[in-house]
Amino acid sequence: MHKKFEAGEFETKWQQHWAKKGIYATKNSDKRKVYVLDMFPYPSGEGLHVGHPKGYIATDIYSRFKRMSGFEVLHPMGWDAFGLPAENFAIKNKVHPRVAVEKNVKRFKEQLSLMGFDYDWDREINTTDPGFYKWTQWIFIQLYKKGLAYESFEPINWCPGCQTGLANEDLESDGTCERCGSKVEKRPMRQWVLKIRDYADRMLEDLDELNWPEHIKEAQRNWIGRSEGAEIDFKLNTGETVTVFTTRPDTLFGATYLVVAPEGDLILSLSDKINNWAEVEAYREAVIAKKEIERLDDTKEKTGVCLQGITATNPVNGESIPVYTADYVLASYGTGAIMAVPAHDERDFAFASKYGIQKRTVIQSPTEVSVDSEAYTGTGTLVNSGEFNNLSAEEAKRKICDKVGGRPTKTYKIKDWVFSRQRYWGEPFPIVQAEDGKTYTVSPKQLPVTLPEVEHYEPAGDGQSPLANITDWVNVVGYVDEEGDFVVSDTVPAGKVLLKGKRETNTMPQWAGSSWYYLRYLDPQNDKALADPQIESKWSPVDVYVGGDHAVRHLIYARFWHKFLYDIGVVSQKEPFTRLEFLGFILAEDGRKMSKRWGNVINPDDIVKLVGADTLRVYEMFMGPFENTIAWSKDGLVGARRFLERVNGLSKHLIDMDGNEISSLLHKTIKKVGEDIENFKFNTAVSAMMIFINTAERTGLSRSTYEAFLKLLAPFAPHLTEELWSESGHEDSIHLASFPEHKPELAVTDTVIIGVQINGRLRGTISASPKASEEEIMSEVKSTEVYEKYLKLASIKKIIYVPGRILNLLVE
Ligand code: ANZ
């Protein structure tokens, strides 16, 4: 029975009550712990739209469920507020970034509070607080002291729009800046770089142990891009040696030319021996002007120039082969030179075809005979390879490598992390360059090095950070202490020399604070350590981490810092996030991304005002599988509201004793809802509760069954269930009650197989209760392959549903 309600009448009341009683504060109890974490937001000026809370609703449900299941729960929230988004917003709106951040945080917090989330706000953190970034600086000092932070003068990505250097991870796949879309240039600049490559192997190997979506692990594997192969030396006729990196030493007999990268140093060292140097130099310059991304584009025609007067000797058969320079070989990968095997590598094949270079088949495919029209890139048996004929490619790799004195090596696509930005709104580096020509870390006792106030925080445009102009701040005097750190001080202890110095004026990238923030929630007020070791070892690692972005960047950087902190004994676990749940976004009703630009943004405040936070929460979880991207629908919202109105009227159906049907259904529902929450299958949990209420309205239910049902729903609709729980005579919060346990003998499910037809053709089946309603069945269908394959992009014109038998969808 529907019973309308005004959410406004009780939602705020309960939120205030929970806050007053502190029921969500994490305590230091002996219970089993669970650490549930959201990717913390940038407090942008636009506030939250209804897509943002989806992940927060999920962690809220999960953490409430765990609390009710007897766990001590840590579920904190904070702000990732340094970096370009906050700074660009501030510049555009002519306010200081700090003021803008404060205002935006307040707004975000208000919006989140409306949703009734169970965050422990006493643990709130903000990456721009000096008390927080003190520890970001401290970590940097440790990295520096372990030789993992260094200054580099290599050309880096420079964004002319944002006026700053960027890391590779900050670029779109077409080489533009992911923030402003400008074409990124290469500029030689002094930069701070972190040796993330040193951790590449461990980051790769430990991925296997993580309970993360496979596509995210794969994205990380590709980003790290480890290749195992060998370095092999080729002697030149001019006396020099060229070392190539190859993953296929087994194809050495088929190497019919060498290529050296046009932009590398090797070719320069040969300049006076190359007879056509003028031509080569012109080519070199043309290539340097090209973007790396264009050079790697396999669909583009390959270009190159033969180095006249230079030949190389193939070490395995003594053959003399030509040497080229070509744009498809990059100086930054491997050794910057390759042995080219046209018969077995596609790029070499295209190049050799264009320049009329010999192709020699040396690997026989097990199934097909190699033809002249394309390269055979697979493995097989060796041919045309002298004493190695008939060996398998795998075996030959090692043997040929040994024979020519090759050295097994690994190379990586991941580059060291360019860690400095020429912008204002970031953590200052705790670094002083002193007049003795040395670089010092600031004494940890003097942390934080606070960001000074400036009049103009816009980028200077000359490649320097705005901090460079604040001479008061930049110029320091002090001395070097026993630890080798720089102590800023006007007075000098006996035996020490007064030194002048300049502070580093670059700032850290926005990814710095987010690389370790989850540790600070454990012990947010500690001013002696980043986190107390005992507290850290109790709460680490994060058990469930939820977010919808950053497959590589944040999740790579945080794993790197965490492993480093593990090595220096600051954390007890080698990985930060055991389980990761990746969410699908919510699109606008028109199927586009929600954006001011399209005028299709839906504001959660408005929805809460209209139908209440509980309805919004239930709706977003019922939309479809959590990981799917789905468009917003008003009808869906109405459906969720109707369901809650029926819950509100459920007490009208109370009877003295349960019948068999409802009592067995209760236990099935308890089992299903618990398992579904554990597995982030919130949509099917909601549909199970809808099935329950259908039956309960028909058969009636006892008070204890009614209350058990309220508890199942409590994580999803915390306000309404609290209201009904209190009406039912309870003084304590429902959120501190125990989640019901099911009796296995009663929870045996009676499902039937229902055929799913699309335009009359059977496309799949689903198993569901024969009593499931059309709404519930449609929700089930959304988690199937049939949906992915046939329905996702189609529009459903008519639904014909015969309960327990068949579902026929007419689509266009
Ligand atoms: C000979 C060969 C024969 C190769 C064959 C492949 C197939 P991944 O797997 O991506 O690491 N290579 C090496 N250094 C390069 C550079 N600086 N620029 C462009 N290409 C480079 O690729 C490794 C392979 O890419 C290497 O193995 C090399 O070509 C090429 F049938 O050597 B191979």
Side-chain angles (χ1 to χ4, degrees):
M1 186 181 291
H2 286 256
K3 187 175 163 206
K4 295 217 176 300
F5 58 86
E6 271 305 327
E9 281 172 13
F10 55 81
E11 289 192 347
T12 322
K13 172 186 84 181
W14 286 117
Q15 286 160 14
Q16 287 166 353
H17 179 81
W18 298 329
K20 204 169 100 213
K21 296 260 165 173
I23 69 166
Y24 304 128
T26 307
K27 300 195 186 61
N28 196 9
S29 71
D30 295 334
K31 295 183 194 166
R32 275 182 301 165
K33 71 98 185 180
V34 64
Y35 184 1
V36 185
L37 183 69
D38 296 286
M39 287 184 186
F40 66 161
Y42 308 113
S44 77
E46 303 196 352
L48 296 171
H49 64 57
V50 285
H52 296 118
K54 183 175 165 187
Y56 309 151
I57 297 170
T59 55
D60 194 66
I61 291 171
Y62 189 82
S63 57
R64 286 173 182 279
F65 165 67
K66 287 298 206 185
R67 185 179 298 106
M68 291 176 80
S69 307
F71 285 78
E72 190 66 53
V73 174
L74 175 60
H75 186 213
M77 189 37 114
W79 316 103
D80 185 15
F82 265 140
L84 283 177
E87 182 166 340
N88 287 342
F89 172 84
I91 291 173
K92 203 167 127 211
N93 296 286
K94 302 240 173 319
V95 286
H96 192 289
R98 184 171 25 75
V99 177
V101 162
E102 273 166 22
K103 196 169 137 231
N104 296 346
V105 162
K106 194 160 162 274
R107 166 98 183 98
F108 264 61
K109 220 173 148 177
E110 273 165 17
Q111 286 190 296
L112 292 182
S113 305
L114 284 177
M115 310 283 300
F117 293 141
D118 68 351
Y119 295 121
D120 179 353
W121 285 111
D122 288 345
R123 292 169 185 262
E124 177 179 355
I125 54 150
N126 183 326
T127 54
T128 66
D129 277 346
F132 179 94
Y133 68 67
K134 167 179 175 175
W135 297 104
T136 313
Q137 293 173 337
W138 182 86
I139 297 171
F140 180 81
I141 290 177
Q142 311 313 310
L143 285 161
Y144 181 80
K145 291 195 168 169
K146 294 282 178 209
L148 290 165
Y150 62 98
E151 283 173 279
S152 150
F153 298 84
E154 300 277 301
I156 59 141
N157 306 307
W158 170 263
C159 172
C162 298
Q163 297 277 328
T164 183
L166 296 174
N168 267 16
E169 287 83 355
D170 297 325
L171 308 190
E172 295 289 354
S173 55
D174 65 354
T176 55
C177 167
E178 63 101 31
R179 283 269 146 232
C180 72
S182 304
K183 275 212 158 183
V184 168
E185 303 162 359
K186 286 274 178 206
R187 253 208 204 182
M189 278 180 66
R190 186 183 67 88
Q191 291 289 337
W192 282 97
V193 179
L194 300 185
K195 284 194 185 169
I196 193 168
R197 260 187 195 227
D198 282 15
Y199 280 74
D201 279 329
R202 282 162 65 191
M203 292 209 289
L204 203 58
E205 279 145 25
D206 292 346
L207 272 177
D208 295 340
E209 293 164 27
L210 297 178
N211 179 9
W212 285 21
E214 202 42 50
H215 71 279
I216 308 285
K217 293 204 222 180
E218 203 46 32
Q220 295 219 342
R221 284 187 196 109
N222 290 336
W223 190 262
I224 295 167
R226 179 167 79 186
S227 285
E228 290 177 40
E231 286 184 0
I232 294 177
D233 294 336
F234 283 69
K235 274 248 168 295
L236 300 185
N237 59 336
T238 49
E240 290 86 356
T241 299
V242 171
T243 304
V244 304
F245 168 71
T246 176
T247 47
R248 297 291 304 268
D250 52 309
T251 62
L252 187 52
F253 279 87
T256 52
Y257 64 101
L258 285 195
V259 186
V260 296
E263 75 281 25
D265 293 338
L266 177 65
I267 200 165
L268 285 180
S269 67
L270 296 172
S271 64
D272 53 357
K273 294 172 185 157
I274 298 174
N275 297 339
N276 55 339
W277 177 245
E279 185 191 358
V280 171
E281 198 173 19
Y283 179 73
R284 232 176 82 77
E285 277 162 19
V287 172
I288 289 170
K290 279 195 199 170
K291 304 260 168 304
E292 188 170 311
I293 205 86
E294 291 168 35
R295 294 177 56 187
L296 290 174
D297 184 348
D298 279 343
T299 60
K300 290 251 164 72
E301 191 175 324
K302 310 261 166 307
T303 63
V305 178
C306 184
L307 308 184
Q308 281 166 22
I310 311 274
T311 55
T313 305
N314 185 333
V316 82
N317 57 10
E319 217 171 66
S320 172
I321 56 175
V323 181
Y324 282 77
T325 186
D327 58 353
Y328 73 99
V329 174
L330 304 173
S332 57
Y333 189 64
T335 59
I338 67 159
M339 61 181 230
V341 185
H344 302 290
D345 179 274
E346 278 159 10
R347 292 166 305 173
D348 300 342
F349 186 93
F351 190 85
S353 303
K354 180 171 170 186
Y355 292 97
I357 308 168
Q358 193 200 348
K359 302 175 184 124
R360 186 185 303 135
T361 299
V362 291
I363 306 287
Q364 192 70 58
S365 143
T367 49
E368 52 197 283
V369 186
S370 297
V371 279
D372 281 344
S373 58
E374 58 179 10
Y376 170 65
T377 56
T379 55
T381 320
L382 267 72
V383 292
N384 296 325
S385 297
E387 62 195 274
F388 301 98
N389 280 345
N390 300 322
L391 287 184
S392 72
E394 255 342 284
E395 216 181 334
K397 270 186 186 167
R398 198 173 23 88
K399 293 205 163 142
I400 292 184
C401 186
D402 281 351
K403 158 123 190 215
V404 299
R407 299 163 300 277
T409 44
K410 294 175 196 156
T411 76
Y412 303 87
K413 294 221 165 63
I414 192 170
K415 305 238 167 75
D416 277 347
W417 177 11
V418 174
F419 191 69
S420 40
R421 300 290 178 272
Q422 292 67 50
R423 299 291 300 244
Y424 172 68
W425 192 235
E427 300 86 347
F429 281 85
I431 290 286
V432 170
Q433 322 270 358
E435 60 183 323
D436 62 2
K438 293 191 186 145
T439 300
Y440 295 99
T441 45
V442 172
S443 165
K445 295 187 195 88
Q446 295 194 321
L447 297 183
V449 175
T450 46
L451 190 59
E453 294 291 315
V454 286
E455 273 172 41
H456 300 288
Y457 42 81
E458 285 88 349
D462 58 358
Q464 293 234 63
S465 135
L467 296 181
N469 299 325
I470 315 174
T471 41
D472 283 6
W473 182 81
V474 173
N475 295 316
V476 290
V477 290
Y479 61 92
V480 178
D481 70 8
E482 269 66 44
E483 275 81 49
D485 294 316
F486 195 92
V487 180
V488 178
S489 164
D490 292 337
T491 55
V492 174
K496 298 279 180 208
V497 194
L498 190 74
L499 274 179
K500 284 192 199 144
K502 284 185 185 300
R503 289 191 191 275
E504 171 63 62
T505 57
N506 283 326
T507 53
M508 298 187 198
Q510 83 192 58
W511 307 101
S514 58
S515 294
W516 74 279
Y517 75 107
Y518 54 92
L519 294 169
R520 192 62 180 169
Y521 287 129
L522 307 182
D523 197 7
Q525 313 301 342
N526 195 334
D527 60 358
K528 301 278 175 308
L530 177 161
D532 178 89
Q534 259 186 334
I535 298 178
E536 188 282 329
S537 68
K538 168 167 181 180
W539 284 100
S540 279
V542 171
D543 296 284
V544 186
Y545 194 23
V546 178
D549 203 350
H550 313 309
V552 284
R553 287 189 290 187
H554 158 59
L555 288 171
I556 287 244
Y557 295 149
R559 293 183 63 221
F560 161 45
W561 276 34
H562 193 90
K563 286 187 180 303
F564 169 70
L565 292 173
Y566 176 76
D567 291 347
I568 62 168
V570 173
V571 299
S572 55
Q573 305 286 325
K574 58 185 184 160
E575 283 286 335
F577 317 119
T578 312
R579 173 176 170 195
L580 177 74
E581 290 294 337
F582 222 58
L583 58 94
F585 291 119
I586 296 182
L587 303 174
E589 210 147 12
D590 59 10
R592 290 193 285 198
K593 245 177 109 165
M594 272 187 211
S595 155
K596 256 194 179 167
R597 198 157 112 211
W598 309 121
N600 57 7
V601 175
I602 303 172
N603 186 316
D605 311 26
D606 296 339
I607 302 295
V608 169
K609 229 179 263 157
L610 197 68
V611 287
D614 286 340
T615 301
L616 176 60
R617 295 168 60 113
V618 169
Y619 167 57
E620 291 204 0
M621 293 299 101
F622 187 56
M623 282 178 107
F626 183 64
E627 65 281 8
N628 286 15
T629 291
I630 303 172
W632 181 265
S633 134
K634 270 192 215 87
D635 293 347
L637 191 66
V638 171
R641 169 74 191 198
R642 228 185 287 130
F643 165 61
L644 291 182
E645 285 174 0
R646 287 170 73 184
V647 173
N648 194 36
L650 190 58
S651 63
K652 296 262 173 355
H653 301 275
L654 286 178
I655 50 175
D656 286 345
M657 246 179 69
D658 286 326
N660 283 345
E661 187 181 356
I662 195 69
S663 135
S664 140
L665 183 59
L666 174 70
H667 287 274
K668 282 174 202 153
T669 312
I670 294 172
K671 179 165 187 280
K672 173 95 180 128
V673 172
E675 286 172 359
D676 280 354
I677 296 178
E678 193 57 73
N679 296 316
F680 272 56
K681 294 197 165 143
F682 304 106
N683 62 322
T684 48
V686 174
S687 92
M689 289 187 280
M690 290 175 167
I691 293 176
F692 177 87
I693 211 164
N694 284 344
T695 307
E697 284 178 347
R698 180 166 48 75
T699 62
L701 75 177
S702 70
R703 179 165 296 275
S704 81
T705 296
Y706 170 68
E707 292 189 350
F709 175 72
L710 290 183
K711 288 197 252 179
L712 294 187
L713 183 63
F716 293 81
H719 309 88
L720 177 65
T721 50
E722 186 78 305
E723 181 75 9
L724 297 176
W725 181 253
S726 127
E727 277 174 12
S728 197
H730 294 274
E731 303 230 317
D732 284 344
S733 169
I734 190 168
H735 304 297
L736 300 178
S738 299
F739 201 79
E741 281 178 27
H742 70 271
K743 290 199 184 120
E745 66 281 12
L746 290 178
V748 188
T749 40
D750 56 340
T751 50
V752 289
I753 304 294
I754 296 178
V756 182
Q757 294 185 345
I758 313 254
N759 294 340
R761 292 185 62 178
L762 188 66
R763 294 297 190 185
T765 56
I766 47 174
S767 76
S769 156
K771 298 191 191 82
S773 70
E774 184 179 301
E775 219 173 13
E776 290 144 11
I777 283 288
M778 286 307 295
S779 163
E780 287 283 346
V781 165
K782 283 189 184 159
S783 24
T784 61
E785 257 181 38
V786 176
Y787 177 80
E788 284 298 311
K789 256 186 158 157
Y790 301 104
L791 296 171
K792 210 169 164 183
L793 301 171
S795 93
I796 300 176
K797 293 290 160 213
K798 192 165 181 200
I799 303 175
I800 305 159
Y801 172 51
V802 187
R805 301 210 18 230
I806 200 98
L807 176 71
N808 188 7
L809 303 172
L810 304 182
V811 304
E812 258 173 22

